[in-house]
């Protein structure tokens, strides 16, 4: 699988991951969309599905545009996060952006555990705290982990926003530690550069 990181440098920084694979192309957290991104998606043959780690506007702002361009594309999020995605107050768009972000696409709810989407096998790990229905996606075959804002490089996500919880976030961090994710796996954060779990275990005090 080829994972391309595109970073929104206007306004709130966020990462959009476009994943090219013979098992199906997909995007994780479409926080923005521009011509360069659209051209790349067309170049690789379109996208089959979208995964959302959590519903904050800076991770879903490009969702309406992408699903209008690629209407057959399915969108998935953890089941407890759907009302966060659809609610402009809970997705924080009315607080930070000044506009009501109202998602038009029907989001398909995910349960925690091992699932198959197209030909991809992945694990959905519910990690509430930054939001109530945030999750981490683990692709063991690819040694790739998409953390959203649960873990961000050397830090963790905020817990002072709608539906967030300090206690839940720290429980989620303990849950991640108990997974014993191999050091060779790569962590793809909602913000910042990508690096291995070997480095993550060294530099992120919250996982020690």
């Amino acid at each position: 699988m080829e994972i391309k990181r595109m970073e929104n440098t206007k306004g709130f920084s966020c990462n959009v991951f476009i994943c090219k694979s013979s098992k199906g192309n997909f995007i994780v957290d479409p926080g923005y969309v521009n011509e360069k991104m659209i051209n790349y998606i067309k170049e690789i043959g379109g996208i089959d599905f979208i995964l959302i780690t959590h519903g904050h506007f800076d991770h879903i702002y490009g969702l309406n545009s992408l699903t209008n361009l690629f209407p057959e594309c399915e969108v998935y999020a953890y089941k407890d996060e759907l009302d966060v995605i659809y609610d402009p107050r809970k997705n924080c768009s009315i607080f930070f952006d000044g506009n009501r972000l109202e998602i038009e696409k029907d989001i398909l709810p995910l349960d925690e555990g091992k699932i198959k989407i197209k030909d991809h096998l992945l694990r959905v790990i519910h990690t509430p705290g930054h939001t109530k229905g945030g999750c981490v996606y683990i692709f063991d075959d690819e040694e790739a982990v998409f953390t959203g804002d649960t873990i961000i490089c050397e830090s963790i996500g905020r817990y002072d926003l709608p539906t967030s919880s300090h206690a839940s976030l720290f429980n989620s961090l303990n849950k991640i530690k108990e997974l014993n994710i191999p050091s060779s796996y790569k962590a793809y954060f909602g913000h910042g550069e990508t690096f291995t779990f070997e480095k993550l275990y060294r530099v992120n005090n919250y996982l020690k």
Side-chain angles (χ1 to χ4, degrees):
M1 183 165 70
E2 180 181 326
I3 302 174
K4 189 176 186 67
R5 182 177 76 92
M6 292 189 170
E7 183 181 10
N8 182 10
T9 57
K10 297 180 180 179
F12 285 84
S13 170
C14 68
N15 290 328
V16 178
F17 297 103
I18 305 176
C19 305
K20 175 186 175 184
S21 172
S22 59
K23 299 177 182 179
N25 299 331
F26 64 96
I27 289 177
V28 179
D29 286 353
Y32 78 106
V33 65
N34 59 18
E35 186 176 358
K36 178 181 178 181
M37 185 185 299
I38 293 170
N39 288 339
Y40 178 72
I41 293 170
K42 290 179 177 178
E43 179 184 315
I44 65 174
I47 49 174
D48 297 292
F49 62 95
I50 293 171
L51 296 175
I52 298 172
T53 62
H54 67 290
H56 285 154
F57 76 96
D58 57 328
H59 292 258
I60 61 171
Y61 217 99
L63 186 57
N64 286 338
S65 296
L66 285 172
T67 53
N68 285 333
L69 285 169
F70 304 98
E72 300 304 314
C73 175
E74 297 177 333
V75 184
Y76 297 88
Y78 187 74
K79 59 185 180 182
D80 291 351
E81 193 71 354
L82 268 59
D83 69 311
V84 176
I85 295 169
Y86 289 122
D87 187 331
R89 178 182 174 277
K90 292 178 182 177
N91 70 33
C92 296
S93 58
I94 61 172
F95 300 126
F96 293 100
D97 182 65
N99 295 310
R100 295 174 60 88
L101 174 59
E102 297 183 345
I103 297 303
E104 302 161 358
K105 182 78 173 181
D106 288 337
I107 312 295
L108 300 173
L110 295 174
D111 289 309
E112 186 168 39
K114 294 181 180 180
I115 63 168
K116 184 177 183 180
I117 303 178
K118 301 301 179 181
D119 288 329
H120 288 280
L121 296 175
L122 62 146
R123 286 187 282 162
V124 180
I125 311 298
H126 181 212
T127 56
H130 184 59
T131 60
K132 68 175 184 177
C135 70
V136 166
Y137 297 108
I138 302 176
F139 290 75
D140 289 294
D141 289 347
E142 310 292 344
E143 298 192 349
V145 182
F146 298 94
T147 70
D149 286 358
T150 299
I151 305 169
I152 307 173
C153 299
E154 299 179 22
S155 189
I156 56 176
R158 293 173 59 171
Y159 42 81
D160 60 345
L161 299 169
T163 83
S164 66
S165 163
H166 175 275
S168 294
L169 182 56
F170 278 80
N171 286 337
S172 293
L173 294 171
N174 287 331
K175 185 177 186 178
I176 291 171
K177 285 190 283 187
E178 290 171 359
L179 292 174
N180 293 315
I181 295 171
S183 297
S184 60
Y185 281 36
K186 285 188 176 180
Y188 297 87
F189 309 110
H191 305 268
E193 297 288 339
T194 295
F195 47 72
T196 65
F197 267 77
E198 187 276 330
K199 180 177 179 179
L200 183 61
Y201 291 138
R202 283 192 290 107
V203 303
N204 193 310
N205 289 327
Y206 294 98
L207 291 182
K208 292 181 179 178

